[in-house]
Amino acid sequence: MGVVRPSTPLDRVAGAHDAAVLAVARRGEPVSRTDLAEALGVTPQAISKILARLMERGMMAGAGSIISGPGKPTTLYRIVPSSRRAIGLHLTRTRLRGVVADLTGEVVSHREIEIGHRQPVPELLETLTAQARELADVGSGTLLGVGLGMPGPVDFSGGVYRGTSAPDPWRGAEIRRMLVDALAMPVLLDHDSRAAIVGETWSQPDLLRNAALVLVEDGLGASLSIDGSIVRGAHSHAGEVGHTVVRMDGAPCECGRRGCAQAEFAASLGRGDVEDAAQVLATIVLDLVRLVDVDRVVLGGSTVYAHHEQMMGAIRSALEAGLREEPWVHVEVMLSTRGTDLIAVGSACEVLEHEYGLPTALVGPE
Ligand SMILES: [Zn+2]
């Protein structure tokens, strides 16, 4: 099975330049060569080459010119949102949410369906395929593929759902390969929280260079952006904060241990003690801040949204108390800008990043 567009080191350099120009252009305002040269720290001549490449591919277009002072008028350029689109899917144990996003990562359409709890793999595949086919008919521009974000552990490079040790019908399923075969289009599989942070970095460019995204859906996970790079780790398991122990001999967890944050959080919510659940969340957020030194914490996921005031309040208090002796450490806590679409959009953005020439694990039919 081949990678859609094999990339050489030089492709990746060109890709990174294209990506940087598109990232500036997708903020909305038309831009000039000088704007882009300043934003990227390269010469206007270099920008001309990049723009020519992107215009040839239909991703950028001219946007008229303005007269600013004496001399030649300044030519403006804009991104062409409708030139490309990607499907993003977000799978949970009970729901499937899907979006179509354009080249700027804006949602063109979304839909959500309930699915049977722990569907067997063949049924799950049918559900995913049907949703993707429906969304494939929405929007305009070249359809680049399908991104699927789901609870981990997920093998990002292999496209396999690793699963948990608890009875898990999806464990070991080669979901990416099965979807590629069924849909005959490129597919990418990622951990839900990793997809979420990609989507969030698209909507908050430059703000999430050192950030943790804490996601509370069925489980509790996190993803990290450190020094501008999204962290995956040796087995693409980085950020499994849900399975860090917060209470010795605490509630049994599906991973086989006791007192994991995820198990304690669920146990607290289960007995209606939102305050206690919020404390568990606050504990792991402070631990994350301590461990990897981030200055932004983004919270997302349906469980957080349902109790966001208590969750945000508990986290802010824990950070204030925990960092009292270090007034120079400032950490901003915020809710995701993407709401319930967070993971589906992020999965679509991951597919779009491949078109930008950034390395991803998008794999297409042979
Ligand atoms: Zn656990």
Side-chain angles (χ1 to χ4, degrees):
M1 186 162 296
V3 172
V4 173
R5 192 147 60 89
S7 57
T8 66
L10 276 180
D11 280 342
R12 282 195 288 278
V13 170
H17 285 160
D18 294 358
V21 165
L22 289 168
V24 174
R26 76 177 173 234
R27 292 175 202 176
E29 294 299 307
V31 285
S32 69
R33 280 198 318 156
T34 319
D35 296 337
L36 289 167
E38 274 172 22
L40 269 68
V42 298
T43 63
Q45 288 74 19
I47 293 293
S48 296
K49 275 191 199 165
I50 300 169
L51 279 174
R53 201 158 56 217
L54 291 171
M55 287 169 81
E56 196 189 302
R57 294 169 63 202
M59 296 161 90
M60 295 283 293
S65 56
I66 47 163
I67 297 165
S68 52
K72 275 205 310 187
T74 306
T75 310
L76 295 176
Y77 302 88
R78 63 176 179 86
I79 196 165
V80 184
S82 61
S83 63
R84 301 288 189 283
R85 66 200 159 104
I87 294 171
L89 300 177
H90 170 204
L91 177 67
T92 75
R93 293 284 175 197
T94 54
R95 304 188 81 76
L96 177 64
R97 196 172 182 83
V99 302
V100 176
D102 68 19
L103 183 60
T104 65
E106 282 308 302
V107 173
V108 179
S109 172
H110 53 181
R111 60 199 61 188
E112 185 171 336
I113 55 166
E114 276 188 37
I115 61 173
H117 189 65
R118 292 185 190 257
Q119 275 186 325
V121 170
E123 273 173 50
L124 173 70
L125 199 65
E126 264 176 46
T127 308
L128 293 168
T129 310
Q131 174 89 300
R133 288 207 177 108
E134 255 182 62
L135 290 166
D137 292 331
V138 181
S140 58
T142 309
L143 178 60
L144 301 172
V146 179
L148 169 63
M150 65 184 295
V154 164
D155 173 2
F156 171 73
S157 52
V160 177
Y161 172 69
R162 293 260 184 240
T164 61
S165 55
D168 185 344
W170 302 345
R171 186 177 165 97
E174 292 184 60
I175 291 183
R176 185 179 65 196
R177 182 188 55 75
M178 291 189 281
L179 277 178
V180 170
D181 290 347
L183 292 167
M185 65 172 109
V187 177
L188 175 148
L189 178 70
D190 206 354
H191 192 282
D192 51 9
S193 66
R194 220 70 52 72
I197 201 167
V198 172
E200 202 63 39
T201 55
W202 273 53
S203 52
Q204 302 194 59
D206 302 333
L207 291 178
L208 304 180
R209 286 191 56 79
N210 286 291
L213 186 142
V214 178
L215 186 71
V216 195
E217 285 277 328
D218 298 339
L220 203 167
S223 48
L224 299 166
S225 165
I226 303 294
D227 297 330
S229 298
I230 288 166
V231 178
R232 294 194 171 275
H235 308 92
S236 70
H237 291 355
E240 290 279 0
V241 283
H243 298 289
T244 54
V245 173
V246 294
R247 193 164 290 153
M248 290 299 175
D249 294 321
C253 180
E254 61 176 26
C255 72
R257 300 169 82 198
R258 285 183 163 274
C260 288
Q262 179 171 310
E264 290 295 326
F265 184 88
S268 303
L269 274 192
R271 54 173 192 271
D273 192 344
V274 177
E275 202 45 54
D276 199 55
Q279 289 306 327
V280 173
L281 195 60
T283 302
I284 61 160
V285 168
L286 183 56
D287 286 352
L288 269 177
V289 168
R290 282 291 184 219
L291 196 62
V292 288
D293 188 19
V294 291
D295 58 11
R296 276 182 168 76
V297 175
V298 183
L299 299 177
S302 48
T303 310
V304 166
Y305 301 143
H307 309 286
H308 66 94
E309 275 174 25
Q310 275 153 300
M311 303 283 168
M312 300 277 275
I315 291 169
R316 288 198 175 114
S317 308
L319 289 174
E320 207 180 288
L323 302 171
R324 187 168 291 139
E325 301 304 319
E326 294 140 282
W328 56 87
V329 177
H330 179 74
V331 182
E332 200 172 319
V333 184
M334 60 186 92
L335 281 177
S336 162
T337 56
R338 300 281 198 171
T340 46
D341 279 338
L342 176 66
I343 294 152
V345 176
S347 304
C349 289
E350 285 194 271
V351 173
L352 293 165
E353 286 199 333
H354 186 270
E355 184 70 0
Y356 282 22
L358 297 175
T360 69
L362 184 69
V363 164
E366 285 186 47

mmCIF file of all heavy atoms in Angstrom, residues 210 212 222 224 226 231 238-241 244 283-295 319 323 326 329 331:
data_model
loop_
_atom_site.group_PDB
_atom_site.id
_atom_site.type_symbol
_atom_site.label_atom_id
_atom_site.label_comp_id
_atom_site.label_asym_id
_atom_site.label_seq_id
_atom_site.Cartn_x
_atom_site.Cartn_y
_atom_site.Cartn_z
ATOM 1 N N ASN A 210 3.249 25.979 22.687
ATOM 2 C CA ASN A 210 3.461 25.131 23.852
ATOM 3 C C ASN A 210 2.128 24.993 24.567
ATOM 4 O O ASN A 210 1.749 25.837 25.385
ATOM 5 C CB ASN A 210 4.524 25.731 24.777
ATOM 6 C CG ASN A 210 5.912 25.560 24.188
ATOM 7 O OD1 ASN A 210 6.427 24.438 24.101
ATOM 8 N ND2 ASN A 210 6.503 26.657 23.744
ATOM 9 N N ALA A 212 -1.235 22.175 25.872
ATOM 10 C CA ALA A 212 -1.811 20.846 26.086
ATOM 11 C C ALA A 212 -3.286 20.945 25.766
ATOM 12 O O ALA A 212 -3.946 21.918 26.139
ATOM 13 C CB ALA A 212 -1.611 20.410 27.525
ATOM 14 N N ALA A 222 -4.983 13.483 26.496
ATOM 15 C CA ALA A 222 -4.396 14.792 26.214
ATOM 16 C C ALA A 222 -3.484 14.670 25.016
ATOM 17 O O ALA A 222 -3.056 13.585 24.650
ATOM 18 C CB ALA A 222 -3.596 15.280 27.413
ATOM 19 N N LEU A 224 -0.199 17.077 23.075
ATOM 20 C CA LEU A 224 0.745 18.134 23.416
ATOM 21 C C LEU A 224 1.350 18.759 22.174
ATOM 22 O O LEU A 224 1.667 18.054 21.217
ATOM 23 C CB LEU A 224 1.896 17.540 24.230
ATOM 24 C CG LEU A 224 1.518 16.887 25.552
ATOM 25 C CD1 LEU A 224 2.683 16.059 26.068
ATOM 26 C CD2 LEU A 224 1.130 17.949 26.565
ATOM 27 N N ILE A 226 4.636 20.965 21.655
ATOM 28 C CA ILE A 226 5.816 21.443 22.379
ATOM 29 C C ILE A 226 6.757 22.098 21.382
ATOM 30 O O ILE A 226 7.145 21.474 20.395
ATOM 31 C CB ILE A 226 6.541 20.275 23.099
ATOM 32 C CG1 ILE A 226 5.581 19.548 24.047
ATOM 33 C CG2 ILE A 226 7.778 20.781 23.851
ATOM 34 C CD1 ILE A 226 5.095 20.354 25.222
ATOM 35 N N VAL A 231 3.423 16.366 19.586
ATOM 36 C CA VAL A 231 4.199 15.252 20.111
ATOM 37 C C VAL A 231 3.429 13.942 19.926
ATOM 38 O O VAL A 231 2.252 13.870 20.278
ATOM 39 C CB VAL A 231 4.473 15.479 21.621
ATOM 40 C CG1 VAL A 231 5.231 14.305 22.217
ATOM 41 C CG2 VAL A 231 5.232 16.783 21.837
ATOM 42 N N ALA A 238 1.810 9.183 23.182
ATOM 43 C CA ALA A 238 2.091 10.319 24.068
ATOM 44 C C ALA A 238 0.793 11.009 24.477
ATOM 45 O O ALA A 238 -0.108 11.170 23.651
ATOM 46 C CB ALA A 238 3.010 11.312 23.366
ATOM 47 N N GLY A 239 0.702 11.364 25.744
ATOM 48 C CA GLY A 239 -0.461 12.125 26.203
ATOM 49 C C GLY A 239 -1.558 11.300 26.855
ATOM 50 O O GLY A 239 -2.637 11.816 27.097
ATOM 51 N N GLU A 240 -1.267 10.035 27.153
ATOM 52 C CA GLU A 240 -2.308 9.206 27.789
ATOM 53 C C GLU A 240 -2.436 9.554 29.279
ATOM 54 O O GLU A 240 -2.274 8.699 30.152
ATOM 55 C CB GLU A 240 -1.985 7.715 27.611
ATOM 56 C CG GLU A 240 -2.126 7.218 26.191
ATOM 57 C CD GLU A 240 -3.573 6.900 25.781
ATOM 58 O OE1 GLU A 240 -4.481 7.076 26.626
ATOM 59 O OE2 GLU A 240 -3.776 6.513 24.623
ATOM 60 N N VAL A 241 -2.783 10.786 29.542
ATOM 61 C CA VAL A 241 -2.870 11.219 30.948
ATOM 62 C C VAL A 241 -4.000 10.526 31.696
ATOM 63 O O VAL A 241 -3.977 10.440 32.924
ATOM 64 C CB VAL A 241 -3.099 12.737 31.095
ATOM 65 C CG1 VAL A 241 -1.841 13.502 30.851
ATOM 66 C CG2 VAL A 241 -4.234 13.206 30.226
ATOM 67 N N THR A 244 -2.694 7.948 34.032
ATOM 68 C CA THR A 244 -1.731 8.240 35.088
ATOM 69 C C THR A 244 -2.503 8.144 36.405
ATOM 70 O O THR A 244 -3.667 8.536 36.485
ATOM 71 C CB THR A 244 -1.118 9.648 34.938
ATOM 72 O OG1 THR A 244 -2.187 10.592 34.860
ATOM 73 C CG2 THR A 244 -0.279 9.762 33.681
ATOM 74 N N THR A 283 -6.080 18.151 38.753
ATOM 75 C CA THR A 283 -4.826 17.509 39.171
ATOM 76 C C THR A 283 -3.984 17.145 37.960
ATOM 77 O O THR A 283 -2.782 17.428 37.914
ATOM 78 C CB THR A 283 -5.135 16.228 39.989
ATOM 79 O OG1 THR A 283 -5.938 16.606 41.104
ATOM 80 C CG2 THR A 283 -3.868 15.552 40.464
ATOM 81 N N ILE A 284 -4.611 16.523 36.971
ATOM 82 C CA ILE A 284 -3.779 16.112 35.824
ATOM 83 C C ILE A 284 -3.347 17.312 34.983
ATOM 84 O O ILE A 284 -2.278 17.288 34.394
ATOM 85 C CB ILE A 284 -4.446 15.016 34.962
ATOM 86 C CG1 ILE A 284 -5.748 15.489 34.375
ATOM 87 C CG2 ILE A 284 -4.613 13.722 35.718
ATOM 88 C CD1 ILE A 284 -6.140 14.656 33.188
ATOM 89 N N VAL A 285 -4.168 18.353 34.940
ATOM 90 C CA VAL A 285 -3.741 19.544 34.192
ATOM 91 C C VAL A 285 -2.508 20.166 34.850
ATOM 92 O O VAL A 285 -1.525 20.494 34.178
ATOM 93 C CB VAL A 285 -4.884 20.570 34.066
ATOM 94 C CG1 VAL A 285 -4.353 21.913 33.568
ATOM 95 C CG2 VAL A 285 -5.968 20.060 33.116
ATOM 96 N N LEU A 286 -2.541 20.278 36.174
ATOM 97 C CA LEU A 286 -1.371 20.847 36.865
ATOM 98 C C LEU A 286 -0.151 19.946 36.668
ATOM 99 O O LEU A 286 0.958 20.436 36.446
ATOM 100 C CB LEU A 286 -1.691 21.048 38.359
ATOM 101 C CG LEU A 286 -0.581 21.697 39.201
ATOM 102 C CD1 LEU A 286 -0.154 23.047 38.625
ATOM 103 C CD2 LEU A 286 -1.020 21.870 40.652
ATOM 104 N N ASP A 287 -0.356 18.624 36.719
ATOM 105 C CA ASP A 287 0.752 17.691 36.471
ATOM 106 C C ASP A 287 1.342 17.900 35.077
ATOM 107 O O ASP A 287 2.560 17.897 34.901
ATOM 108 C CB ASP A 287 0.286 16.235 36.611
ATOM 109 C CG ASP A 287 0.066 15.839 38.065
ATOM 110 O OD1 ASP A 287 0.427 16.635 38.960
ATOM 111 O OD2 ASP A 287 -0.477 14.743 38.306
ATOM 112 N N LEU A 288 0.470 18.076 34.098
ATOM 113 C CA LEU A 288 0.932 18.297 32.727
ATOM 114 C C LEU A 288 1.747 19.577 32.619
ATOM 115 O O LEU A 288 2.800 19.611 31.983
ATOM 116 C CB LEU A 288 -0.267 18.408 31.774
ATOM 117 C CG LEU A 288 -0.792 17.144 31.113
ATOM 118 C CD1 LEU A 288 -2.013 17.475 30.282
ATOM 119 C CD2 LEU A 288 0.283 16.509 30.238
ATOM 120 N N VAL A 289 1.234 20.630 33.243
ATOM 121 C CA VAL A 289 1.936 21.912 33.215
ATOM 122 C C VAL A 289 3.315 21.749 33.841
ATOM 123 O O VAL A 289 4.322 22.251 33.327
ATOM 124 C CB VAL A 289 1.104 22.996 33.937
ATOM 125 C CG1 VAL A 289 1.932 24.243 34.187
ATOM 126 C CG2 VAL A 289 -0.146 23.325 33.137
ATOM 127 N N ARG A 290 3.371 20.992 34.953
ATOM 128 C CA ARG A 290 4.639 20.737 35.638
ATOM 129 C C ARG A 290 5.600 19.940 34.765
ATOM 130 O O ARG A 290 6.795 20.196 34.726
ATOM 131 C CB ARG A 290 4.366 19.934 36.919
ATOM 132 C CG ARG A 290 3.837 20.761 38.043
ATOM 133 C CD ARG A 290 4.932 21.651 38.489
ATOM 134 N NE ARG A 290 4.597 22.446 39.639
ATOM 135 C CZ ARG A 290 4.978 23.703 39.777
ATOM 136 N NH1 ARG A 290 5.650 24.288 38.800
ATOM 137 N NH2 ARG A 290 4.699 24.369 40.844
ATOM 138 N N LEU A 291 5.050 18.945 34.088
ATOM 139 C CA LEU A 291 5.868 17.994 33.357
ATOM 140 C C LEU A 291 6.435 18.575 32.072
ATOM 141 O O LEU A 291 7.599 18.359 31.749
ATOM 142 C CB LEU A 291 5.003 16.765 33.032
ATOM 143 C CG LEU A 291 5.692 15.491 32.606
ATOM 144 C CD1 LEU A 291 6.601 14.973 33.710
ATOM 145 C CD2 LEU A 291 4.634 14.431 32.268
ATOM 146 N N VAL A 292 5.615 19.291 31.320
ATOM 147 C CA VAL A 292 6.074 19.701 29.988
ATOM 148 C C VAL A 292 6.087 21.207 29.766
ATOM 149 O O VAL A 292 6.435 21.651 28.684
ATOM 150 C CB VAL A 292 5.252 19.012 28.864
ATOM 151 C CG1 VAL A 292 5.610 17.545 28.786
ATOM 152 C CG2 VAL A 292 3.767 19.196 29.059
ATOM 153 N N ASP A 293 5.693 21.993 30.792
ATOM 154 C CA ASP A 293 5.835 23.450 30.719
ATOM 155 C C ASP A 293 5.110 24.068 29.529
ATOM 156 O O ASP A 293 5.734 24.608 28.617
ATOM 157 C CB ASP A 293 7.322 23.829 30.705
ATOM 158 C CG ASP A 293 7.529 25.334 30.836
ATOM 159 O OD1 ASP A 293 6.594 26.016 31.292
ATOM 160 O OD2 ASP A 293 8.628 25.809 30.489
ATOM 161 N N VAL A 294 3.790 23.977 29.556
ATOM 162 C CA VAL A 294 2.981 24.617 28.517
ATOM 163 C C VAL A 294 2.423 25.938 29.050
ATOM 164 O O VAL A 294 2.341 26.133 30.264
ATOM 165 C CB VAL A 294 1.814 23.706 28.070
ATOM 166 C CG1 VAL A 294 2.344 22.501 27.312
ATOM 167 C CG2 VAL A 294 0.960 23.268 29.258
ATOM 168 N N ASP A 295 2.063 26.846 28.140
ATOM 169 C CA ASP A 295 1.471 28.108 28.602
ATOM 170 C C ASP A 295 -0.009 28.218 28.220
ATOM 171 O O ASP A 295 -0.658 29.219 28.518
ATOM 172 C CB ASP A 295 2.269 29.327 28.126
ATOM 173 C CG ASP A 295 2.395 29.414 26.618
ATOM 174 O OD1 ASP A 295 1.691 28.656 25.920
ATOM 175 O OD2 ASP A 295 3.204 30.225 26.139
ATOM 176 N N LEU A 319 -4.234 25.682 39.380
ATOM 177 C CA LEU A 319 -3.038 26.291 38.804
ATOM 178 C C LEU A 319 -2.576 27.469 39.654
ATOM 179 O O LEU A 319 -1.379 27.645 39.908
ATOM 180 C CB LEU A 319 -3.312 26.753 37.365
ATOM 181 C CG LEU A 319 -3.476 25.644 36.319
ATOM 182 C CD1 LEU A 319 -3.890 26.234 34.980
ATOM 183 C CD2 LEU A 319 -2.188 24.840 36.161
ATOM 184 N N LEU A 323 0.997 27.114 41.387
ATOM 185 C CA LEU A 323 2.083 27.905 40.784
ATOM 186 C C LEU A 323 2.335 29.203 41.552
ATOM 187 O O LEU A 323 2.980 30.107 41.049
ATOM 188 C CB LEU A 323 1.747 28.213 39.312
ATOM 189 C CG LEU A 323 1.508 27.000 38.406
ATOM 190 C CD1 LEU A 323 0.971 27.443 37.039
ATOM 191 C CD2 LEU A 323 2.785 26.194 38.218
ATOM 192 N N GLU A 326 5.686 30.693 41.745
ATOM 193 C CA GLU A 326 6.356 31.005 40.476
ATOM 194 C C GLU A 326 5.505 31.983 39.668
ATOM 195 O O GLU A 326 4.884 31.597 38.683
ATOM 196 C CB GLU A 326 6.573 29.734 39.650
ATOM 197 C CG GLU A 326 7.543 28.757 40.263
ATOM 198 C CD GLU A 326 7.089 27.325 40.089
ATOM 199 O OE1 GLU A 326 6.196 26.888 40.838
ATOM 200 O OE2 GLU A 326 7.613 26.657 39.194
ATOM 201 N N VAL A 329 5.330 32.047 35.850
ATOM 202 C CA VAL A 329 4.692 30.991 35.050
ATOM 203 C C VAL A 329 3.227 31.369 34.834
ATOM 204 O O VAL A 329 2.446 31.432 35.785
ATOM 205 C CB VAL A 329 4.792 29.615 35.752
ATOM 206 C CG1 VAL A 329 4.050 28.551 34.927
ATOM 207 C CG2 VAL A 329 6.247 29.211 35.936
ATOM 208 N N VAL A 331 -0.216 30.444 32.783
ATOM 209 C CA VAL A 331 -0.884 29.427 31.980
ATOM 210 C C VAL A 331 -2.323 29.859 31.725
ATOM 211 O O VAL A 331 -3.075 30.135 32.663
ATOM 212 C CB VAL A 331 -0.887 28.056 32.690
ATOM 213 C CG1 VAL A 331 -1.542 27.002 31.802
ATOM 214 C CG2 VAL A 331 0.526 27.633 33.051
#
